[in-house]
Amino acid sequence: MASILPITQNPDIRFLGRLLGDVIKAYGGEKLYRQTEYIRSASVDRARGVAGADLVDTGLDALSLDDTLAFVRGFMLFSMLANLAEDRQGISVEPGADLASAVAALEAHGISKDAVLALLDTALIVPVMTAHPTEVRRKSMIDHKNRIADLMQLMDSGKTETDNGEQIEEAIARQIALLWQTRPLRRERLYVQDEIENVLAYFRDVFLPVLPALYARWERVLGARPQSFLRVGNWIGGDRDGNPYVQAEQLKFALSRACEAALTFYLDAVHALGAELSISTELAQVPQAVLDLAEKSGDTSPSRKDEPYRRALTGIYSRLCASYVALTGKQPARPSSLVAEAYEEPTALRRDLALIAQGLASESSGVLATGGALGRLIRAVETFGFHLATLDMRQNSDVHERVVAELLKQAGVEADYAALDEFARIALLRRELASNRPLGSRFAGYSEETASELAIVHAAADALKTYGPQCITHYIISKAESVSDMLEVNIILKEAGLWQAGVDGAPPQATIMSVPLFETIADLEAAPSIMTAYFGLPEIGGIVTRRGHQEVMIGYSDSNKDGGYLTSTWGLHQASKALEPVFAQVGTAMQLFHGRGGAVGRGGGSSFAAIRAQPPGTVQGRIRVTEQGEIIAAKFGTRDVAAVNLEAMTSATLLASLEPEALSEKDAARFATAMDQLSSGAFTAYRALVYGTEGFKEFFRELTPIQEISGLKIGSRPASRTKSTRIEDLRAIPWVFSWAQARVMLPGWYGVGHALSDFEDKALLADMVQAWPFFRSAMANLEMVLAKSDLGIARRYLPLVQDQAAADSIFGRIAEGWSKTHDELLALTGQSRLLEKNPALETSIRLRLPYIEPLNLLQIELLKRHRAGEDDARIKEGIELSINAIATALRNSG
């Protein structure tokens, strides 16, 4: 038995923890400080296994309700500051997860930079921001944390004072004090507009400046200038699945505010360039093209008569102001005094900026020719356009079916579309898609649902005309189970002119791509046959071939809830692999959109490892990945952290696309056979527990704080798609989030132990871990979630369950499954304890555990009182605070 490493803290954690202690003492009082220190030290001793520590009073019973609220806030803030310290330390940065390392690794395999550049010419890598509600912190809390990160960076540079003369340590302490006195919980439920504004802050403050800087670095690594292959996407304002609050107005608001943010960034950048480029014709040779642009600017100021670059930029600025007014209906903060014509599209703006860049480069090969701020601005315009981020539309296939049925009935085409079988539906839908005649009529009296859906697609059509073709390119179909599900979307898009039938020999055109989301295990298995049939339709096959690619979205969350961790992971892998020859047959690129979440049960874990573990031939330089909830702040909360994660995603995509396959055909075949057996065993065990055990639904709802989580003001979307209490109808996010709160983490591991223990060829499993990136990544994520779970604490939640006999029986099965999974994993990886071979992650998790245990114990007590009918508002607030604090400490809990 190897000895357990001591819990170490990096210097940042010690520094920030000391300042937090000073703040608690100053603002919470000496009593609270001493109580907090006592509880903390007692919990740390128990976590370290100090002799007799289990017999020591936890100190929690001495807390009044007011003390409890303050104590929970203190532990939550420590976890937040520890997260910040670890991000600065680079605990999430993996070896080789930068572009230079990826290029070097590929060159070692004989793959040249020219091959990398050729791939990037057609590549598309997109993290997509979504509004899934697992970010429990208010944005004000995140903002204070980010200011602390900025101040720590100043301290890294050797400074002791800020630019305004304030002592840096004092400034950090002030931000911690502000955190202490900032209300961490939202009083009102978020509206869609709030979510839009929240995500816009990341685009404005992080993505707009970071992406151009990354591209500048990559140009140096590659020795050439690639096209803008890395972009950012957005769901917020277009994702309507189960969210009745996203309608046409919200879509318009999201696009308008995004355009406003992009244009404001460009205006500020052009203004700064105007101040910088003071080049005089008396001292430099200026090309005629720049002189002509200066003359057209309308800038006749005598003081700038000999400064053509400034005059040209004045003209560009005035045109951008006109674009701002035309596209947003508002005046910019710094309007131009000149009257100018608006830019009709971002390519025209780019041409003017490029003309200036060419002028600077024409005189010599000096430093003015190397890009700088102007080069970054040109890259920003290429990357973000006037739309900032492509907004996806998403809706459930059941809604589409009802809308199409009503349109067909009202138009006198088909009285009962829902009664038709699949073949009849496809035939009917194809006939309608062959004509540009709309089904809808402004004189018809449609249901509220149909009217809303039609309004959405008309708003999308208007947006494309206003902001350009990149503002909306994808329409995601949740619960896609058939070809007709995809054709129905095209029917609805046709109502707004976004599907054009081929006439007079012209081929049909689809302005927005219809994208199926395959979510359950059965959906994933059916995906290849559905896509084969879809591509087999001549009008569809032609569109896909001309476009050059087609997207398919695969869902991690619902497949996990449906079949468990191992079966979901393997099902996604196999579906991706089975789709590749379908696309190859059509001769078009496959673009997989991975619907991942933060928790392992929802596809969380290392993105770098996950992308590299994709089946050969399934990435091809094109990938989109959802980023949601607390993961957005964790991965993109600051510019430095965002740069690391964006580069890791890019590097992993290059390696997954170009790196030679490591497995031989023989190994690949025997490993796949083994995984089929493992997946089957895990699926059987998981389904038997979750869906085959009487009373399990009630056990889950009473053991975990799912009822209380459903009431949190953390998102505009309801916790369930329907009013049903069935697990099948519960959204995957609260399902995973609730198990994490109770420290069971069941969706991330249950069933794996059964499968591993029943598998007889242990040597084969060991080979799979060593040689197969897919299996190694799956086991690494499993190990992380096991390390964060704690069945000893979970058992303390059992008294919350009314049927104690059922509770003991079900929990006994869960505990047995955990022990199997734990023991089998250690044997498989040759370790004596979890994370023995990953000391950085082990230290990170073990540092947090003593701070989570008291939060769980307090949460249990508050849940008991709340469910017993006590109506003190502080009890409810304490529960919500504990949920917030535990989620912050666990990091990827939702």
Side-chain angles (χ1 to χ4, degrees), residues 451-513:
S452 175
E453 293 301 309
L454 292 177
I456 281 275
V457 293
H458 282 290
D462 291 341
L464 290 167
K465 295 173 186 174
T466 303
Y467 306 112
Q470 290 301 310
C471 73
I472 302 174
T473 57
H474 300 85
Y475 192 125
I476 313 294
I477 308 159
S478 299
K479 199 182 171 185
E481 299 173 343
S482 64
V483 171
S484 64
D485 286 341
M486 300 179 70
L487 295 179
E488 286 164 3
V489 167
N490 290 329
I491 289 287
I492 296 170
L493 290 171
K494 191 184 77 161
E495 293 299 303
L498 299 175
W499 168 283
Q500 293 286 327
V503 294
D504 299 328
Q509 296 181 359
T511 307
I512 294 177
M513 185 193 302

Side-chain angles (χ1 to χ4, degrees), residues 139-438:
K139 187 172 180 301
S140 297
M141 303 286 287
I142 297 171
D143 289 343
H144 287 307
K145 186 206 78 170
N146 289 344
R147 290 187 193 108
I148 294 170
D150 291 340
L151 289 165
M152 297 284 283
Q153 275 194 321
L154 282 180
M155 198 158 57
D156 291 342
S157 66
K159 293 184 177 181
T160 58
E161 293 184 355
T162 64
D163 291 342
N164 59 12
E166 186 177 16
Q167 290 287 325
I168 289 179
E169 182 169 331
E170 184 179 309
I172 294 172
R174 179 175 287 106
Q175 289 300 319
I176 294 174
L178 287 169
L179 274 172
W180 176 256
Q181 296 193 328
T182 296
R183 172 171 47 84
L185 299 175
R186 299 184 185 95
R187 297 288 189 226
E188 304 294 332
R189 181 172 290 280
L190 280 177
Y191 292 99
V192 178
Q193 284 89 338
D194 299 322
E195 293 171 331
I196 290 168
E197 293 292 353
N198 285 347
V199 81
L200 273 177
Y202 291 97
F203 284 105
R204 224 178 7 245
D205 302 337
V206 177
F207 293 120
L208 274 164
V210 165
L211 259 67
L214 276 176
Y215 278 115
R217 181 197 306 166
W218 295 340
E219 287 175 33
R220 294 191 293 272
V221 171
L222 296 168
R225 189 179 190 278
Q227 59 100 13
S228 293
F229 59 86
L230 175 63
R231 300 170 183 265
V232 187
N234 184 26
W235 269 18
I236 306 171
D239 178 14
R240 311 185 304 291
D241 180 23
N243 192 341
Y245 308 112
V246 178
Q247 298 182 357
E249 286 306 310
Q250 283 70 37
L251 181 135
K252 293 175 185 176
F253 180 79
L255 291 167
S256 175
R257 293 288 288 127
C259 174
E260 187 177 333
L263 292 180
T264 298
F265 181 83
Y266 302 155
L267 284 166
D268 290 344
V270 170
H271 180 75
L273 281 169
E276 178 182 326
L277 295 182
S278 54
I279 297 168
S280 170
T281 53
E282 297 175 9
L283 300 171
Q285 293 292 323
V286 179
Q288 188 60 45
V290 176
L291 296 173
D292 292 343
L293 190 61
E295 285 301 309
K296 289 193 301 182
S297 70
D299 182 0
T300 59
S301 172
S303 65
R304 290 189 291 273
K305 185 177 180 180
D306 66 325
E307 297 173 341
Y309 286 99
R310 276 184 166 168
R311 290 171 60 212
L313 286 165
T314 299
I316 292 172
Y317 187 90
S318 64
R319 292 194 67 183
L320 265 175
C321 285
S323 301
Y324 189 100
V325 173
L327 295 175
T328 70
K330 305 174 185 177
Q331 285 286 343
R334 189 189 296 111
S336 172
S337 60
L338 302 177
V339 176
E341 180 183 355
Y343 286 110
E344 291 187 1
E345 56 186 14
T347 52
L349 168 61
R350 188 203 178 281
R351 278 195 299 270
D352 283 353
L353 294 171
L355 193 150
I356 292 177
Q358 291 160 11
L360 292 172
S362 65
E363 188 177 4
S364 73
S365 59
V367 293
L368 293 180
T370 59
L374 177 58
R376 292 193 296 274
L377 175 57
I378 292 172
R379 178 63 79 174
V381 174
E382 288 178 6
T383 306
F384 299 102
F386 289 168
H387 63 285
L388 184 62
T390 299
L391 180 67
D392 286 358
M393 301 171 71
R394 183 170 80 131
Q395 184 54 283
N396 193 289
S397 64
D398 291 340
V399 174
H400 300 145
E401 179 182 317
R402 292 193 295 268
V403 170
V404 169
E406 186 171 358
L407 286 171
L408 291 168
K409 183 177 182 179
Q410 291 273 16
V413 175
E414 172 56 53
D416 193 357
Y417 172 76
L420 300 179
D421 63 25
E422 176 66 4
F423 293 105
R425 288 188 182 194
I426 291 173
L428 173 56
L429 296 172
R430 290 186 67 197
R431 286 197 300 273
E432 289 300 321
L433 290 173
S435 164
N436 284 323
R437 171 183 59 86

